Amino acid sequence: MSEMLNKTKVAVRLADGTTIKGLLNIGKYNRLSDFLNSKDADPFLIVYEASMPGTIGKVVIINRNHIAWAAPE
């Protein structure tokens, strides 16, 4: 089974104040908010081509429980 690719640019602020920007595959969802509020989604977000202090162009895996806010860019 292949997953649908639907990449969107995002900025995610973590509870510790770190901001991560990059690409997030929101799959079957049309909006970032629908993806983040989904009850059947994975507990981790995988941000591709991520940039954050000290890191550029990496893959960052984020625990949803540590997100303060997220916004499409």
Side-chain angles (χ1 to χ4, degrees):
M1 182 169 106
S2 65
E3 291 203 18
M4 178 183 197
L5 267 172
N6 184 7
K7 293 182 181 176
T8 188
K9 287 185 178 182
V10 297
V12 178
R13 172 72 55 98
L14 303 181
D16 71 358
T18 303
T19 299
I20 301 169
K21 294 182 179 185
L23 296 174
L24 177 66
N25 180 14
I26 62 171
K28 65 182 179 182
Y29 301 97
N30 293 323
R31 300 180 310 172
L32 177 61
S33 60
D34 294 337
F35 173 77
L36 293 174
N37 289 320
S38 171
K39 300 296 181 203
D40 62 329
D42 194 300
F44 295 92
L45 304 182
I46 301 172
V47 179
Y48 302 90
E49 298 177 26
S51 64
M52 58 188 259
T55 303
I56 295 176
K58 300 288 183 180
V59 174
V60 177
I61 301 169
I62 302 169
N63 184 318
R64 287 176 183 263
N65 295 327
H66 295 272
I67 297 173
W69 60 258
E73 290 225 305

